[in-house]
Amino acid sequence: MSEPRRYGRRRRGMHFKPTGHGPKPTKHQEREAQQARAEAVNENVPITGERLFEPQRYAREIERAENVAAGLPAEGAPAPHTGDTEALHKGDFRQPHLDTPAEVQEEFAPVQIQEKARNLLEAIKNVAVKAIHKVKRLIRPVKKTHKEVIINAEALETRVAVLEEGRLEEFTIERTSEERLVGSIFKGRVRNLEDGLKAAFVDIGFEKNAFLHYWDIVPSGFDSGVEIVERDGGRKRDKPKITQKDVPRLYPPGSDLIVQVTKGPIGTKGPRVTTNLVLPGRYLVLLPNSDQSGISRKIENHEERQRLKKILRKLHIPDGMGVIMRTVGEGQRERYFVRDLALLLEEWNQIEESIRRRPSASVVFQEPDLIERTVRDFLTEDVERIVVDSAPAHDRMRNMIARISKRSADKIRHYGEHQPIFDRFGITRQLEATFSRQVHLKSGGYLVVDETEALVAIDVNTGRHKSGKDQEQTILKVNLEAAEEICRQLRLRNMGGLIVLDFIDMKGRRDQQQVYQKMREGLRRDRAKTHILPISQLGLMEMTRQRHTESVRSAVYDDCPYCKGKGKVKSAETMSVEIQRKLAEILKRRGRDESDFQLRIVVHPTVAQRLRSEDQKHLDEMEKRYFIKLLLRPDPGLHAEEYKILNAATNEELASG
């Protein structure tokens, strides 16, 4: 007889609380996670790929105020229940991994800046490090990726695809009929102030007034994605410090205000705006109302950062304005920044002229269309060419690029063949495979992607992958491949908000960490802001991705008018039960009568087949009990969930569904 197990006092008193195990997250880590969730759910839209002027500390407060203003619950609309649980569990409920600490790690850590060499020894050491890097590049050269941008410009829509080695990596679509609201600048007029919500409602010429929170009026600084660079000799604009208490006095109802749209109207919510204006260019972002300048932390090379800082300090930036050096500026010459700044200042002068001339509630700057944004954001040094199938778009793009770099203008090519450009480059086939619910992996596994109102659920399955002798390595291989594909799918589908990833269960902590690191590496190239947590004790990985615009699924697809977005229809058996229930209701109301009475039942052929086979005996019993005759008429024109019950003699419709 085995000796009974002995449990310590601590184990006896332990309850199942998955989030309570492991080291407790710090207040900073908890704030980062809460902030990421608030930004993702709130759909706060950054004007550019650089993360500028985001009210990080107050995102939750702004979200609650915006929901109340739109007539919604303060915490937002409740998450609808979805009947499709295939992507949420596999078999039995998994047990928590008690050996996995519930740790939270930051997604964007500040870049560590090395100090200058203070003596000869350190200077020699720095030179040696440079030489070693050069030798490494000679021995193992960096693999060059064949990257090109394909543009399909048509009358109703424009599509942009980014290919790397022929594989679709990014996809953007824009309808020409849709107004480009996000990023546009308006001369608005304050209609009313709600001190309880700490918000102003601004008329910008639309049906719904724009929502402007007090935190979006108060000048804000950079977030962690931008490093502040002090400019030599730069004079700061002498402006009094504005607080929330000053807003009602400075901007009473009826006063004019220059605002920029950060989020378009969604549902009952009007557009959201801010007074912290940004004007993106090719290599720089102009900040007309800020006297701070900075450089994107995504540029990680220390030497390059120091070079760009010197260039930034040399730029002749007007007093009271600032700039941000974008990630695309890495490796560019000084004259490109000078030319880009001159173009931005010229554009801002035109905006100021429009502000003086135009009346209130009118647009003073229209966000560029997809063609111009593609040139601004995608034409980098690693892009070999941009191919466009529209001659006017080709000429316009060349003229825009020639103003900054004539050499880059040669990368713009015109496609004039008869075959559609997306078919010629194999993009159409990839799009069809990409936007299906199941996405197959090379290893034989597959992903199941479900977008709901509350979150996005992505499930990883082994599929046809045969597990070999080492099952753990097989699972790790599938999960690593799935992590890479998930990052690609997030970019292609432009999915945002809360995202839950259900990888195949891994026992080893090291394997889980490998998958987590693979996800972090894949998300680094994402222009949207992301926040990701390690695999939890329930075996799930949680993340948020900030919404730039609506997802491609929302833009391209409408809910099915038959299933109403459920993705499923009632089975033939269910319809048979409903029809029999309705027949019994009609016949009981009529009562028992031996007169000749016939009912015609018009249904979909699949339901008629069910009634004529498995359920025929139930109809026969009903005919004998009520002395009636039931006539079945299949109609392929009816939906699977539709039916009609008619009086055969008078053709009167007695019931329908």
Side-chain angles (χ1 to χ4, degrees):
M1 186 172 177
S2 61
E3 184 180 353
R5 295 183 182 178
R6 296 181 181 179
Y7 296 92
R9 179 184 299 176
R10 184 176 180 182
R11 184 173 181 86
R12 236 184 291 122
M14 185 176 67
H15 297 283
F16 174 58
K17 294 183 179 179
T19 57
H21 295 296
K24 187 177 180 181
T26 65
K27 291 183 178 180
H28 173 72
Q29 291 170 334
E30 289 179 347
R31 185 169 64 250
E32 287 286 329
Q34 291 173 359
Q35 168 201 327
R37 185 189 188 282
E39 289 177 351
V41 174
N42 192 37
E43 296 179 331
N44 183 23
V45 182
I47 304 302
T48 69
E50 312 295 336
R51 293 174 286 151
L52 312 177
F53 291 127
E54 294 173 339
Q56 297 184 354
R57 296 172 53 194
Y58 314 105
R60 193 65 178 168
E61 179 185 351
I62 296 174
E63 178 194 359
R64 291 170 59 88
E66 190 178 9
N67 288 334
V68 172
L72 300 174
E75 299 299 329
H81 173 73
T82 56
D84 187 6
T85 58
E86 181 180 345
L88 300 181
H89 60 78
K90 296 191 284 280
D92 299 331
F93 294 102
R94 53 163 60 88
Q95 295 296 323
H97 303 309
L98 300 182
D99 57 339
T100 304
E103 60 179 343
V104 177
Q105 300 184 14
E106 294 186 37
E107 173 63 14
F108 294 101
V111 177
Q112 296 181 355
I113 306 301
Q114 302 174 1
E115 294 185 359
K116 275 188 169 184
R118 297 180 180 178
N119 52 46
L120 181 61
L121 184 61
E122 290 187 11
I124 295 174
K125 184 179 177 180
N126 290 339
V127 173
V129 170
K130 293 180 184 178
I132 291 172
H133 284 310
K134 290 182 180 179
V135 172
K136 284 183 178 179
R137 285 197 295 267
L138 291 174
I139 297 175
R140 186 180 295 176
V142 180
K143 183 180 178 182
K144 187 176 181 181
T145 305
H146 178 65
K147 185 176 181 180
E148 54 189 352
V149 180
I150 311 301
I151 301 177
N152 171 221
E154 297 175 336
L156 292 179
E157 71 178 14
T158 301
R159 299 184 296 171
V160 174
V162 179
L163 301 179
E164 293 185 8
E165 302 294 343
R167 187 168 183 253
L168 182 63
E169 291 294 337
E170 295 191 41
F171 176 73
T172 311
I173 184 172
E174 181 179 85
R175 300 282 164 79
T176 55
S177 58
E178 295 175 356
E179 188 166 7
R180 300 183 301 277
L181 190 61
V182 175
S184 298
I185 300 176
F186 289 83
K187 182 179 181 179
R189 173 160 291 179
V190 179
R191 287 302 179 191
N192 59 301
L193 301 172
E194 291 289 344
D195 290 334
L197 300 176
K198 294 183 180 179
F201 292 90
V202 184
D203 181 11
I204 60 174
F206 287 84
E207 181 181 356
K208 288 183 177 292
N209 289 333
F211 178 87
L212 175 62
H213 198 274
Y214 287 178
W215 284 122
D216 289 325
I217 300 177
V218 176
S220 59
F222 298 150
D223 70 350
S224 59
V226 178
E227 179 192 0
I228 296 177
V229 178
E230 296 294 338
R231 304 205 310 266
D232 298 333
R235 291 184 300 164
K236 296 185 177 181
R237 185 184 295 172
D238 296 329
K239 293 193 300 184
K241 188 176 180 180
I242 301 176
T243 64
Q244 288 196 42
K245 296 179 181 179
D246 301 324
V247 171
R249 175 177 57 84
L250 296 175
Y251 305 103
S255 58
D256 289 341
L257 199 60
I258 307 303
V259 294
Q260 188 169 30
V261 178
T262 59
K263 185 179 70 174
I266 299 176
T268 59
K269 297 181 181 181
R272 179 174 163 183
V273 295
T274 180
T275 61
N276 295 310
L277 309 181
V278 297
L279 202 62
R282 182 74 179 89
Y283 305 111
L284 299 172
V285 176
L286 182 66
L287 314 176
N289 296 338
S290 173
D291 51 17
Q292 286 185 330
S293 294
I295 181 173
S296 171
R297 290 191 185 273
K298 289 186 178 181
I299 302 176
E300 298 179 352
N301 185 279
H302 170 65
E303 297 174 5
E304 178 63 15
R305 294 179 67 83
Q306 296 301 321
R307 186 185 74 87
L308 292 177
K309 287 179 183 179
K310 292 179 182 178
I311 295 176
L312 192 150
R313 293 188 179 104
K314 293 180 183 178
L315 294 176
H316 298 290
I317 305 172
D319 294 339
M321 292 189 183
V323 296
I324 296 290
M325 279 193 165
R326 302 183 64 184
T327 310
V328 73
E330 185 174 6
Q332 300 299 329
R333 299 178 183 178
E334 180 180 350
R335 66 172 183 267
Y336 292 158
F337 295 99
V338 174
R339 195 177 306 168
D340 199 29
L341 177 61
L343 293 174
L344 286 172
L345 292 175
E346 180 183 345
E347 192 169 30
W348 175 246
N349 290 334
Q350 294 175 359
I351 294 174
E352 287 186 315
E353 181 63 27
S354 298
I355 293 173
R356 287 190 292 268
R357 288 188 295 102
R358 297 198 176 183
S360 299
S362 61
V363 62
V364 294
F365 169 74
Q366 181 76 45
E367 173 69 1
D369 62 3
L370 185 57
I371 295 288
E372 190 169 339
R373 296 201 309 272
T374 299
V375 172
R376 185 184 71 194
D377 300 332
F378 285 110
L379 187 54
T380 54
E381 288 296 323
D382 57 340
V383 172
E384 295 183 3
R385 60 177 178 174
I386 294 182
V387 187
V388 58
D389 61 355
S390 168
H394 167 266
D395 296 339
R396 182 156 67 99
M397 292 172 71
R398 283 187 63 90
N399 293 334
M400 285 189 297
I401 288 297
R403 297 170 63 188
I404 300 177
S405 171
K406 293 183 179 179
R407 182 172 59 88
S408 297
D410 295 333
K411 294 183 177 181
I412 311 297
R413 308 288 179 82
H414 178 245
Y415 177 84
E417 298 181 16
H418 66 279
Q419 186 181 11
I421 187 170
F422 269 34
D423 293 350
R424 172 67 176 79
F425 288 88
I427 301 172
T428 303
R429 175 180 49 80
Q430 295 189 59
L431 284 175
E432 291 174 356
T434 298
F435 295 113
S436 60
R437 183 169 176 263
Q438 283 193 1
V439 180
H440 293 277
L441 306 174
K442 291 181 180 179
S443 62
Y446 63 92
L447 308 177
V448 179
V449 183
D450 285 311
E451 291 187 57
T452 69
E453 193 73 22
L455 52 82
V456 177
I458 302 179
D459 185 28
V460 183
N461 294 288
T462 52
R464 304 189 313 272
H465 197 290
K466 304 298 182 182
S467 58
K469 296 180 181 179
D470 194 345
Q471 188 175 5
E472 292 185 8
Q473 283 299 317
T474 300
I475 292 175
L476 176 61
K477 180 182 178 182
V478 176
N479 281 340
L480 289 175
E481 185 182 356
E484 183 179 352
E485 182 62 27
I486 287 171
C487 296
R488 174 174 173 259
Q489 290 293 324
L490 293 177
R491 296 192 306 270
L492 289 178
R493 302 183 187 221
N494 195 24
M495 295 183 294
L498 303 176
I499 302 169
V500 177
L501 312 176
D502 186 4
F503 287 98
I504 305 169
D505 289 336
M506 294 170 287
K507 297 179 181 178
R509 176 61 185 162
R510 181 178 297 178
D511 292 349
Q512 295 179 9
Q513 195 66 18
Q514 272 189 261
V515 175
Y516 172 65
Q517 292 298 334
K518 189 72 173 178
M519 283 293 301
R520 290 190 63 181
E521 292 172 8
L523 291 173
R524 282 197 184 101
R525 63 173 299 175
D526 200 331
R527 291 186 297 152
K529 183 181 179 183
T530 58
H531 187 91
I532 186 169
L533 301 180
I535 295 177
S536 70
Q537 294 152 337
L538 290 176
L540 301 175
M541 184 180 290
E542 304 164 55
M543 64 170 290
T544 62
R545 184 177 186 270
Q546 198 171 17
R547 297 182 191 270
H548 281 222
T549 54
E550 62 179 349
S551 68
V552 175
R553 177 175 176 267
S554 302
V556 177
Y557 297 99
D558 287 331
D559 285 340
C560 174
Y562 300 107
C563 69
K564 308 300 181 186
K566 297 192 300 290
K568 293 181 179 295
V569 294
K570 294 178 181 177
S571 64
E573 183 179 6
T574 302
M575 292 304 303
S576 175
V577 172
E578 289 188 7
I579 291 171
Q580 292 179 55
R581 187 180 297 125
K582 183 58 70 174
L583 283 171
E585 178 188 343
I586 294 172
L587 295 174
K588 286 177 183 178
R589 190 166 57 241
R590 177 177 177 271
R592 187 180 179 88
D593 188 354
E594 297 185 5
S595 63
D596 186 20
F597 185 64
Q598 295 183 356
L599 291 178
R600 184 186 306 116
I601 307 171
V602 185
V603 293
H604 189 269
T606 56
V607 181
Q609 179 64 27
R610 171 79 192 193
L611 291 170
R612 284 173 175 168
S613 54
E614 291 96 326
D615 298 337
Q616 181 67 50
K617 57 183 179 180
H618 302 297
L619 298 183
D620 293 342
E621 290 177 4
M622 199 173 290
E623 287 179 333
K624 293 176 183 178
R625 186 184 308 163
Y626 294 101
F627 295 100
I628 62 166
K629 183 68 175 175
L630 299 176
L631 307 174
L632 278 177
R633 292 290 183 270
D635 184 358
L638 286 181
H639 182 254
E641 294 183 359
E642 290 181 342
Y643 66 87
K644 295 178 182 178
I645 301 177
L646 310 171
N647 186 328
T650 63
N651 214 27
E652 176 189 0
E653 185 175 309
L654 303 178
S656 63

